[in-house]
Amino acid sequence: MREKLIFHEALSDNVFKQRLTQLMTKTLTARSLSLLLVFAFSTPILKTASAQTAETNKASLVIHSDQAGPTINRDIYGHFAEHLGRLIYEGLWVGEDSKIPNTRGLRNDVVGALKELHVPVLRWPGGCFSDEYHWKDGIGPRDKRPRRPNASWGGVDTNAFGTHEFMDLCELLGADAYINGNVGSGTPQEMMEWIEYMTSDSDSTLAQMRRQNGREKPWKVPFFAVGNETWGCGGEMRPEYYADEYRRYATFIKNYSGNRIQKLAVGSHDDYYEWTEVLMAQAGRFMNGLSLHYYTLPTSNWQKKGSATEFGEKEWYATLVRTLRIDEFIQKHSAIMDKYDPQKRVGLMVDEWGTWYDREPGRDMGALYQQNTLRDAVVAGINLNIFNKHADRVKMANIAQMVNVLQAMILTDKEKMVLTPTYYVFKMYKVHQDATLIPIDLSSPEYKMDQNSLPSLSASASRDKEGKLHVSIVNLDPNRPAEVSTTVSGSTVKNITGEILTASTMNAMNTFDNPSAIKPGTFSGYKLQGSQLTLNIPAKSVVVIELQ
Ligand code: AHR
């Protein structure tokens, strides 16, 4: 629904207003209350900002290295690639005949940079697009594939990038495939056949067709979702109706030739708790995961979200307020899931998250291209710390999206590529993948803005398989450094190394003319005296340290 509104900015005022009215009426119950609360909370923020002065914040951190939490599933560091704007075409796929160096059509520079992130899982082909995608359009000789309108995001899809190309990308990246099936305009048969085509090693007609199309051995497909946002662009369904549809479709997701699929159901967004309640009550036992979508808008207003690059401290603050809300959403959706699934068998899959800003002047309406600044890096660091904290329930998260769309890792312009501040956060945080969560106690002063305040620090700790302890810390305060008096209980720290991502301005960014304006440097802001460790975390920074 939200994205339709974005795309429909291009429609006439009347159609647009009609859609807006529908949205407001439809969601007036569950969502409007929270929206009102957010507005109420944000009103003072949007007045003249009166920030704190630049004294040092004193904080304390206890890392309980002698205790162990759950494993941080590496899939929390997952990604999402939709047929949208210049993500697939140009961003990832340039075709075999392109002058841009490529491997079987996939651009080498982008794939090389993504490999550095250890992408664990990649969701495709949408988003809203998945509920209009018919997989048979995207197999066989490319020059024979049909060209179809991309009804969600505009333009025409050549289908040059289909199942084989996506699986090739996953293999190049070493990522697991997460395929999002079509419920909105598809059928259980179409879904069932796609799975057979990809995963069967038999001599069935579809498995033979895959071989004729160049792939002898079946692929592994560990994750398959039954639709996307079926409460919105995926079919405007009621939760009761979708719960039944889910059960029907999920029945036909079969395991062929040793492949084991985790079946994922469409979950809620934001604070739409009724959806989670109904899905868990009526279909919980048939699923392995339930999704959650939450986007950070500086304003909470889909018609005027705020600029990606031109903002001051009040917008910085407002963006972080809204990012932090995901903690509450995860807690409350998890509490509902706990009622029906106390064993935590069903994962909460936050398979769309990230910042969403206004379209840049001159850019395509449906392309959702946006720049990425230090503020996005801070947003990424906070979110990843929150997902780690909830690792007992959150089993996957997929930032939206991988290249050229929303909070991207990479931006491209023809043969040029830049790595965003968000890319560097994912690179620094990859040490948490599959590590054991270590409990922490963090006490940090508040970052105040007018009458409101936020915790000024966000942190997370884990121990990897080699026994190394990693701590990620974000200083949300753009003015005040933090002096963190740190105790590591249960270990003696002998050696510290670390990286820091920061800049002198809140909106520091990498551009095609200046691609290295912001990148990680060595972190040297620590002092170890006996067992007393002091960390000096600069204002507006993301730090990851390794303790041995
Ligand atoms: O990520 C962009 C869009 O946001 C997705 O297609 C949709 O699922 C969500 O609303």
Side-chain angles (χ1 to χ4, degrees), residues 212-232:
Q212 279 152 23
N213 288 333
R215 174 73 183 197
E216 179 60 33
K217 284 279 137 212
W219 293 288
K220 291 287 181 217
V221 177
F223 302 103
F224 197 97
V226 178
N228 168 71
E229 297 194 351
T230 40
W231 36 260

Side-chain angles (χ1 to χ4, degrees), residues 302 478 489:
W302 285 94
S489 62

Side-chain angles (χ1 to χ4, degrees), residues 498-536:
E499 279 194 301
I500 177 165
L501 186 71
T502 189
S504 53
T505 55
M506 292 182 288
N507 66 348
M509 69 189 101
N510 293 328
T511 63
F512 296 103
D513 293 334
N514 189 3
S516 300
I518 165 167
K519 58 182 187 181
T522 303
F523 176 70
S524 52
Y526 57 84
K527 224 184 294 160
L528 184 62
Q529 280 172 332
S531 62
Q532 190 48 50
L533 172 63
T534 307
L535 301 171
N536 290 300

Side-chain angles (χ1 to χ4, degrees), residues 7 35 44 233 291 370 459:
F7 186 51
L35 216 60
C233 66
S291 66
Q370 65 190 35

Side-chain angles (χ1 to χ4, degrees), residues 120-131:
V121 61
L122 180 57
R123 176 177 184 236
W124 173 83
C128 295
F129 181 81
S130 60
D131 281 296

Side-chain angles (χ1 to χ4, degrees), residues 235-261:
E236 303 284 356
M237 299 174 198
R238 293 169 302 108
E240 294 79 8
Y241 179 81
Y242 173 66
D244 281 349
E245 282 292 87
Y246 173 79
R247 291 167 61 140
R248 173 170 172 241
Y249 275 72
T251 308
F252 300 98
I253 297 179
K254 306 282 185 192
N255 286 322
Y256 297 99
S257 311
N259 185 57
R260 287 281 165 271
I261 297 187

Side-chain angles (χ1 to χ4, degrees), residues 1-4 80 82 84 123 126-129 152-153 228-229 231 233 293 295 302 352 356 368 400-401 405-406:
M1 197 66 192
R2 300 177 308 233
E3 69 292 339
K4 290 273 191 244
F80 171 33
E82 178 165 13
L84 196 177
R123 176 177 184 236
C128 295
F129 181 81
S152 290
W153 306 110
N228 168 71
E229 297 194 351
W231 36 260
C233 66
H293 289 182
Y295 285 98
W302 285 94
E352 287 187 30
W356 195 325
L368 306 189
Q401 297 198 13
V405 168
L406 299 177

